[in-house]
């Protein structure tokens, strides 16, 4: 059985910190699904289609990551529903600083309440990429 992780976010735009998290996660899971949220609660810099193209270009063309290891999708559901759809019990989240932890801790707790089979794994980006938001 493959370990599949869901890495949800708006990725507006994708940053080197996001890329660090993806690369590091590939050391511990078999596949990462980068889920680009299209929730309408934000004013996005890039449209959903632009974000998909930017991310695919960065991951597949620039970094030469394999499509069987990293899949890019869009979604507008709960992350736990996405986990169920892709048979994943891992949610990836990136942390830049301690200030991110409180929000992410609460989010992980809520996801756990929605589906007690789901674990959240927190990964730090490299130091030089942590200050970017």
């Amino acid at each position: 059985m493959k370990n599949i992780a869901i890495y949800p976010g708006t990725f507006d735009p994708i940053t080197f910190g996001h890329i660090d998290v993806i690369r590091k996660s590939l050391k511990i899971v078999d596949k990462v699904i980068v889920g680009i949220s299209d929730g309408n609660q934000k004013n996005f810099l890039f449209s959903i289609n632009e974000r998909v193209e930017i991310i695919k270009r960065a991951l597949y063309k620039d970094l030469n990551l394999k499509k069987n290891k990293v899949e890019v999708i869009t979604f507008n559901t709960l992350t736990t529903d996405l986990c169920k759809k892709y048979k994943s019990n891992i949610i990836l989240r990136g942390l830049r600083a301690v200030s991110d932890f409180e929000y992410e801790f609460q989010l992980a707790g809520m996801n756990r309440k929605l589906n007690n089979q789901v674990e959240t794994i927190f990964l730090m980006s490299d130091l030089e990429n942590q200050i970017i938001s």
Side-chain angles (χ1 to χ4, degrees), residues 9 23 34-35 40 44 48 53 75-77 87 94 102 104 106 119 125 129 131 133:
R23 282 185 155 162
V34 178
N40 52 7
F44 293 111
I48 189 71
E53 288 309 310
F75 76 104
N76 59 6
T77 63
K87 296 179 176 70
E102 181 65 33
E104 294 294 344
Q106 290 177 11
E119 295 290 345
S125 60
N129 296 321
I131 59 170
S133 68

Side-chain angles (χ1 to χ4, degrees), residues 9-115:
T10 57
F11 304 102
D12 188 38
I14 192 167
T15 66
F16 289 125
H18 294 129
I19 291 169
D20 283 348
V21 169
I22 293 166
R23 282 185 155 162
K24 288 176 181 185
S25 68
L26 287 171
K27 295 177 184 177
I28 57 176
V29 299
D30 300 308
K31 183 174 184 174
V32 176
I33 297 175
V34 178
I36 308 166
S37 173
D38 193 23
N40 52 7
Q41 71 277 11
K42 276 180 126 179
N43 291 324
F44 293 111
L45 181 62
F46 295 103
S47 72
I48 189 71
N49 293 331
E50 289 171 320
R51 286 181 276 151
V52 167
E53 288 309 310
I54 290 167
I55 292 168
K56 284 183 175 181
R57 176 190 237 170
L59 299 179
Y60 303 142
K61 188 173 181 184
D62 297 343
L63 298 172
N64 204 28
L65 297 179
K66 304 297 178 212
K67 291 180 182 179
N68 66 333
K69 292 287 200 177
V70 181
E71 184 176 347
V72 178
I73 61 155
T74 62
F75 76 104
N76 59 6
T77 63
L78 293 172
T79 303
T80 52
D81 291 342
L82 205 59
C83 288
K84 186 181 289 185
K85 178 178 179 178
Y86 287 93
K87 296 179 176 70
S88 170
N89 63 348
I90 301 168
I91 296 173
L92 293 174
R93 297 298 293 170
L95 294 174
R96 293 172 297 197
V98 173
S99 57
D100 290 342
F101 184 75
E102 181 65 33
Y103 170 77
E104 294 294 344
F105 182 77
Q106 290 177 11
L107 193 59
M110 184 55 66
N111 285 330
R112 184 77 173 174
K113 280 207 179 281
L114 292 170
N115 182 341

